[in-house]
Amino acid sequence: MPKLIIDADDFGLSKAINHGIIESYKTGITTSTLLMPNLETAEHAIALAKDLPDLFIGQHTNFLLGKPCADPAEIPSLVDENGEFHRSKYYRANPANPELKFQYEDVRTETIAQMERFKALTGHYPEHIDCHSIGDETVDQAFFDIAREFGIHTTLKYSGDKKWPDQEGYLPITKLLESGALPYTNGGVSVENFLNDDFGLLKLAPNEIAEMHFDVGFLDQFVLDNSSYTLMRCRELATICDVRVRDWLSENGFELISFGDLQR
């Protein structure tokens, strides 16, 4: 049967987001979440998840918000004069400017520093990593190299049509869907997007795997001040927890798995 990874991004972004992601796992279809290790509420996130051993937690490597885990002096291209990450508008201002491109060594240094922070919080390195919100082929290359070095899985999503080699020891992902990048979700994924099969999940062949990313959560002032995704998080939380979605997936023979199930 086709398999689905239902991932809730941005674990650790804020206390409200953390509570929403836990809710999406306890009462919804979430199987995995990805932690932003550098943020202050990452520790709160891990504390909430301590009694949920089956919730897969990977790393949502963050280059866009807050302070880095590495020494800012070691990653000059990623930080501003205050030693904090450049915000997304910095990269979107002029994408053709070569000075706004990600630098391989800086990306590698900070990614591994965040993996060390992840280990300090959880007791182990992440088994899966990806990148939060904005990246390019340089980011993908750094992630690919780090994944091979540490023997972990990664999602590469910023290289256009480039075909990356299969990740040895892991089942391949057939379809990657990120809710915030889909034009037909109208401010957040709805129940109807599932029931109408807007994602094309019914076209998956047996044993194919779709990786689906959602932005679920409650809202607090930190989210309102620091994210362009606000009300859509509440909508997606409600959708992920709606029994009609679970029933539709069950009736159509989908198996819910986590990133931890990809290892052969």
Side-chain angles (χ1 to χ4, degrees):
M1 62 179 66
K3 299 175 175 60
L4 303 180
I5 295 172
I6 307 296
D7 178 75
D9 284 344
D10 298 352
F11 203 36
L13 177 63
S14 78
K15 288 185 177 181
I17 295 299
N18 295 343
H19 283 293
I21 288 173
I22 294 297
E23 180 73 13
S24 77
Y25 172 73
K26 286 183 173 180
T27 66
I29 58 173
T30 292
T31 65
S32 303
T33 188
L34 299 179
L35 180 74
M36 304 168 85
N38 71 304
L39 295 180
E40 292 182 4
T41 45
E43 186 172 356
H44 174 262
I46 295 302
L48 290 180
K50 66 180 176 61
D51 295 325
L52 303 172
D54 293 331
L55 172 60
F56 180 93
I57 303 175
Q59 176 169 302
H60 202 40
T61 314
N62 167 34
F63 304 124
L64 299 178
L65 180 63
K67 296 180 180 180
C69 290
D71 182 341
E74 296 180 351
I75 53 169
S77 68
L78 295 176
V79 296
D80 61 19
E81 62 276 9
N82 298 316
E84 296 193 354
F85 285 129
H86 297 297
R87 301 303 301 271
S88 57
K89 63 182 179 181
Y90 172 85
Y91 295 100
R92 293 189 173 110
N94 185 3
N97 186 340
E99 294 184 1
L100 302 187
K101 300 295 184 182
F102 287 95
Q103 303 300 311
Y104 179 92
E105 288 301 330
D106 290 2
V107 168
R108 174 183 170 82
T109 296
E110 177 58 21
T111 300
I112 294 176
Q114 290 192 27
M115 291 172 64
E116 293 291 348
R117 174 59 176 162
F118 185 103
K119 183 179 181 182
L121 290 168
T122 66
H124 59 83
Y125 286 118
E127 297 175 18
H128 169 88
I129 62 173
D130 82 349
C131 180
H132 169 62
S133 191
I134 292 179
D136 60 14
E137 189 172 331
T138 298
V139 171
D140 280 353
Q141 184 66 63
F143 278 33
F144 181 77
D145 294 343
I146 290 170
R148 288 199 300 180
E149 178 180 343
F150 283 82
I152 62 178
H153 187 264
T154 187
T155 295
L156 308 173
K157 52 189 177 183
Y158 297 112
S159 302
D161 295 329
K162 178 174 179 176
K163 174 65 176 176
W164 291 89
D166 290 339
Q167 296 180 58
E168 186 175 352
Y170 291 94
L171 298 172
I173 300 295
T174 305
K175 192 179 191 72
L176 174 64
L177 293 165
E178 294 189 281
S179 64
L182 300 174
Y184 52 80
T185 54
N186 297 320
V189 170
S190 67
V191 172
E192 287 69 28
N193 289 136
F194 279 96
L195 303 186
N196 297 334
D197 194 32
D198 292 335
F199 305 118
L201 299 179
L202 295 179
K203 298 177 182 178
L204 291 172
N207 297 322
E208 287 193 307
I209 302 172
E211 176 183 340
M212 306 183 73
H213 291 252
F214 298 94
D215 295 287
V216 308
F218 301 115
L219 298 182
D220 55 20
Q221 195 61 46
F222 185 87
V223 177
L224 295 175
D225 289 343
N226 290 281
S227 177
S228 59
Y229 289 178
T230 54
L231 294 180
M232 70 171 288
R233 295 182 187 269
C234 299
R235 185 181 192 188
E236 295 200 353
L237 174 58
T239 296
I240 292 302
C241 295
D242 196 300
V243 67
R244 291 173 293 172
V245 173
R246 183 183 291 277
D247 288 346
W248 184 86
L249 295 175
S250 178
E251 291 165 3
N252 287 285
F254 292 101
E255 179 184 357
L256 298 181
I257 66 171
S258 75
F259 286 111
D261 297 315
L262 293 177
Q263 195 162 9
R264 294 182 186 273

